[in-house]
Amino acid sequence: MGKILNGKGNVIVVRHLEGSQATIKRVSGFCRALTNEFPGIKIVDSQSGKDTAEAAREVTEVMLKRNPDVQGLFAC
């Protein structure tokens, strides 16, 4: 994503289950990569999609309405 966005822009993150170690590790790794390699990319919002496609779609829509200047979406 960092390369596609040419190292700058705003992104949102849709996480899986709250408290899931796999989710925590994936989001942590993504954030670490952005910080270290693409400091011009900012995570402007992050929400849990819980455990269903419908819930993930709903929180994604809310985040996009709240943050209209988003160039990327990371879902894990």
Side-chain angles (χ1 to χ4, degrees):
M1 182 182 301
K3 290 178 183 178
I4 291 169
L5 295 178
N6 294 315
K8 57 187 171 197
N10 296 322
V11 299
I12 57 175
V13 176
V14 181
R15 301 181 314 273
H16 188 56
L17 291 173
E18 290 294 331
S20 161
Q21 286 302 307
T23 299
I24 292 167
K25 288 179 180 182
R26 286 181 183 122
V27 172
S28 177
F30 179 71
C31 293
R32 190 171 36 257
L34 289 183
T35 299
N36 293 336
E37 298 175 39
F38 305 100
I41 296 178
K42 180 179 175 186
I43 297 173
V44 295
D45 210 340
S46 178
Q47 296 288 320
S48 172
K50 302 191 172 101
D51 196 20
T52 68
E54 183 177 327
R57 181 185 52 79
E58 288 174 5
V59 298
T60 300
E61 288 176 356
V62 168
M63 287 191 288
L64 288 171
K65 287 178 185 172
R66 200 168 36 213
N67 303 282
D69 187 31
V70 168
Q71 291 77 38
L73 164 67
F74 177 70
C76 59

